[in-house]
Amino acid sequence: GDKAFAQFLTDEIKEEKKIQKHKSLPKVSGGWELDVHGTEAKLVRKIAGEKITVTFNINNSIPPSAEEDTQEQQKPDEQEPELTSTPNFVVEVIKDDTKQTLVLDCHFPEDEIGHEGEEESDIFTIREVSFQPTGEADWKDTNYTLNTDSLDWALYDHLMDFLADRGVDNTFADELVELSTALEHQEYIKFLEDLKSFVKCQ
């Protein structure tokens, strides 16, 4: 059983490497520096008196696909649909002279992906906004967190503009998806390789 499993994994790794778009991770334009630790990635950018960091984790970042019903019609030689990783991401804006960090929790709404036609609509949304003490690893649940569900649209638009002015806009979000997808794929291949070694280990 293990031999067959290892063989299956070998083939699977070959296939995945064949369809791997990026041998190295794609860059995000706009002077962002990338730092990756396992499944977590951090993008950092400094502009006049501010540091902006965007953090995301690729775990559970691939939306469930609506494939269940189309499985029957798929021809054997058809390419599988491309998986896209759309992780939630957290934007932190740190101003040099304050002790507080503005934290914006953003995500990609599932129904938005693929509606490129509408120029106006944003491909990501802000879900929550809060202030956290700068430099503290653990955020406090006691800090007021603003949920955007019931937010005044004008305020929400200003928050989106505030992010766009700092380089977090649709272009950035598109590139983040591309980066995340490449990172997810890279980690998946690594996982298959580790699994293969593990299975073969006597």
Side-chain angles (χ1 to χ4, degrees):
D2 282 5
K3 256 208 191 86
F5 191 9
Q7 186 50 53
F8 167 79
L9 288 168
T10 305
D11 297 343
E12 195 70 4
I13 291 163
K14 255 210 294 273
E15 280 306 301
E16 290 296 333
K17 282 192 168 157
K18 235 189 341 212
I19 59 171
Q20 194 172 16
K21 269 212 220 131
H22 304 278
K23 291 294 167 246
S24 59
L25 293 173
K27 292 257 181 291
V28 177
S29 59
W32 294 89
E33 280 169 36
L34 173 65
D35 187 21
V36 180
H37 290 285
T39 59
E40 187 170 87
K42 188 181 201 169
L43 290 156
V44 182
R45 173 176 195 224
K46 291 188 173 72
I47 45 175
E50 291 183 4
K51 178 176 157 190
I52 295 103
T53 68
V54 177
T55 323
F56 64 91
N57 195 316
I58 57 165
N59 281 337
N60 305 320
S61 65
I62 295 193
S65 59
E67 264 177 59
E68 272 53 63
D69 43 345
T70 56
Q71 213 57 56
E72 279 71 55
Q73 299 110 23
Q74 201 178 353
K75 318 238 175 2
D77 54 351
E78 261 182 44
Q79 271 296 306
E80 283 185 19
E82 228 169 88
L83 293 176
T84 307
S85 158
T86 51
N88 297 343
F89 60 98
V90 176
V91 183
E92 294 170 59
V93 180
I94 303 161
K95 287 189 188 270
D96 288 352
D97 45 5
T98 66
K99 301 270 181 288
Q100 287 184 315
T101 298
L102 182 64
V103 179
L104 302 104
D105 197 337
C106 304
H107 78 138
F108 293 97
E110 277 175 28
D111 51 355
E112 282 301 312
I113 307 298
H115 295 303
E116 276 98 29
E118 302 139 33
E119 207 36 65
E120 283 309 293
S121 79
D122 293 298
I123 58 175
F124 69 94
T125 59
I126 302 170
R127 220 169 10 185
E128 291 183 344
V129 187
S130 67
F131 278 110
Q132 298 295 346
T134 301
E136 292 203 11
D138 295 326
W139 291 340
K140 297 181 170 50
D141 287 339
T142 51
N143 287 6
Y144 179 74
T145 300
L146 175 70
N147 189 309
T148 56
D149 289 345
S150 52
L151 200 58
D152 176 335
W153 276 107
L155 176 52
Y156 182 83
D157 284 344
H158 277 298
L159 284 169
M160 287 300 270
D161 290 344
F162 176 84
L163 281 182
D165 289 343
R166 282 150 184 82
V168 180
D169 52 14
N170 276 350
T171 308
F172 172 84
D174 272 334
E175 292 181 358
L176 185 133
V177 166
E178 184 142 330
L179 169 64
S180 180
T181 302
L183 184 60
E184 203 284 332
H185 199 199
Q186 189 177 295
E187 285 294 317
Y188 175 60
I189 291 172
K190 195 165 143 299
F191 172 78
L192 291 178
E193 286 169 338
D194 290 346
L195 186 57
K196 187 176 93 177
S197 316
F198 188 83
V199 170
K200 283 171 94 169
C201 184
Q202 294 306 319

